[in-house]
Amino acid sequence: MVNNPQDVSDYRLVDAGSGQQLDWATLPDLTQNKTFLAGGLNVANLQKAIDQVQPYVVDLSSGSEQNGQKSLKRMQALVAIAHGNGEKNN
């Protein structure tokens, strides 16, 4: 049994799966590991997710789609937010 996951892992993946959004407030402190955050991230919630979880990497795949197709405009907005250049509460 591992009492402290930080002792055995350098990275952690947190994903609700199938584009579903997690309740980030229920997550334990993940700042000690490099966290990959996925699941339901989009323009409307990405800044809040970054502020709460402070992930090392974000997976924006489903959040960049519009009508089942990748949207260049959404991808650009998501990248701007992830890089700290987007407006909060977009």
Side-chain angles (χ1 to χ4, degrees):
M1 173 100 174
V2 176
N3 291 326
N4 188 355
Q6 297 163 348
D7 293 340
V8 296
S9 173
D10 293 326
Y11 300 92
R12 184 175 296 165
L13 172 64
V14 178
D15 186 0
S18 301
Q20 299 298 310
Q21 181 181 331
L22 291 167
D23 180 359
W24 304 302
T26 64
L27 296 175
D29 179 13
L30 301 173
T31 58
Q32 298 302 315
N33 290 81
K34 293 179 180 173
T35 299
F36 290 59
L37 183 62
L41 298 171
N42 57 52
V43 173
N45 65 19
L46 180 58
Q47 187 63 58
K48 183 176 180 179
I50 291 171
D51 292 345
Q52 282 190 298
V53 180
Q54 301 175 22
Y56 181 69
V57 173
V58 291
D59 174 345
L60 305 170
S61 184
S62 62
S64 66
E65 293 179 358
Q66 184 172 6
N67 300 322
Q69 299 291 318
K70 298 296 180 196
S71 164
L72 179 59
K73 186 175 180 177
R74 285 190 183 186
M75 284 189 261
Q76 289 170 328
L78 288 163
V79 169
I81 294 167
H83 285 197
N85 302 319
E87 294 181 28
K88 291 191 180 209
N89 302 318
N90 242 354

